[in-house]
Amino acid sequence: NGVWLNNSTITNGPSAQRGTYVGSIASNAGSTIDWIFGAIGANGTASVLNVWNYYNRVEVATGVGDSTDSWVYSTATWRAANASNTMRVTFLNGLNEDAPSVAFNGLLSSTNSSGFLGVALDATNTFTGTSGAPAFSINVSSGLATAKLLAGLGQHFFQAVEFGNTGVTFYGDAGSPTVVQNLLSFEHRM
């Protein structure tokens, strides 16, 4: 009748086809349910959103930023931004009905090569969606990478990623957090 039910008997719960699906949760290694909004910090403060509601979803937004002034990445390979796996948002999808939206903006510079910003779904060595504008033989360039896609069932993460080359400098807050701040932003109905 249009109501999601459990397929199998749940131990200490309802028998098959007798329990109404109301949502999903995921626990961490310590069996705790995390609902942590991201923050700006050295290498970023990761966000973990492990509760998903079927009947009463609301728009949730968070951001993660790296307060490191700047760093150089001189390899033409995608990697986690500033080699940090805490520049990410981990989230849960109970049903694959809503597409989360993610963006990573920041500044980068180079004198003789190009670099890129990106976001990656469940990876640190590639990008998903569009990559940010390259810096090529210019002092400072802004980049914005975006993605909006169905992520699939279960727990997933969006990671801020970067692609370097010879002499590419990436900026967190460039020593002036009131003027410049890179940010991985995330919005999703949960």
Side-chain angles (χ1 to χ4, degrees):
N1 295 327
V3 176
W4 288 92
L5 303 175
N6 57 313
N7 186 44
S8 303
T9 298
I10 299 173
T11 304
N12 297 324
S15 57
Q17 304 296 314
R18 294 290 183 246
T20 300
Y21 176 63
V22 295
S24 295
I25 59 173
S27 63
N28 62 27
S31 300
T32 301
I33 310 303
D34 290 325
W35 186 265
I36 302 167
F37 286 100
I40 296 170
N43 295 313
T45 302
S47 177
V48 182
L49 307 171
N50 278 341
V51 178
W52 188 88
N53 190 330
Y54 180 66
Y55 288 101
N56 298 299
R57 276 177 270 180
V58 296
E59 190 74 23
V60 175
T62 189
V64 178
D66 189 342
S67 63
T68 305
D69 289 348
S70 64
W71 58 93
V72 175
Y73 180 49
S74 297
T75 306
T77 304
W78 286 100
R79 73 165 189 178
N82 200 9
S84 172
N85 286 340
T86 54
M87 278 295 293
R88 74 171 51 167
V89 176
T90 301
F91 62 99
L92 187 64
N93 257 349
L95 291 174
N96 204 28
E97 294 180 337
D98 298 312
S101 178
V102 64
F104 179 43
N105 71 291
L107 298 177
L108 55 158
S109 66
S110 176
T111 55
N112 61 359
S113 60
S114 59
F116 300 88
L117 299 175
V119 292
L121 176 62
D122 297 333
T124 59
N125 61 352
T126 187
F127 75 95
T128 305
T130 62
S131 65
F136 185 74
S137 298
I138 54 177
N139 286 334
V140 178
S141 172
S142 63
L144 174 64
T146 62
K148 184 173 178 76
L149 61 134
L150 292 172
L153 295 176
Q155 189 180 56
H156 299 278
F157 66 89
F158 277 110
Q159 172 74 46
V161 294
E162 63 194 12
F163 185 93
N165 217 322
T166 305
V168 177
T169 301
F170 295 87
Y171 298 91
D173 68 13
S176 179
T178 58
V179 177
V180 175
Q181 180 60 63
N182 72 356
L183 188 69
L184 175 68
S185 58
F186 173 86
E187 293 182 14
H188 191 30
R189 288 188 67 235
M190 302 182 76

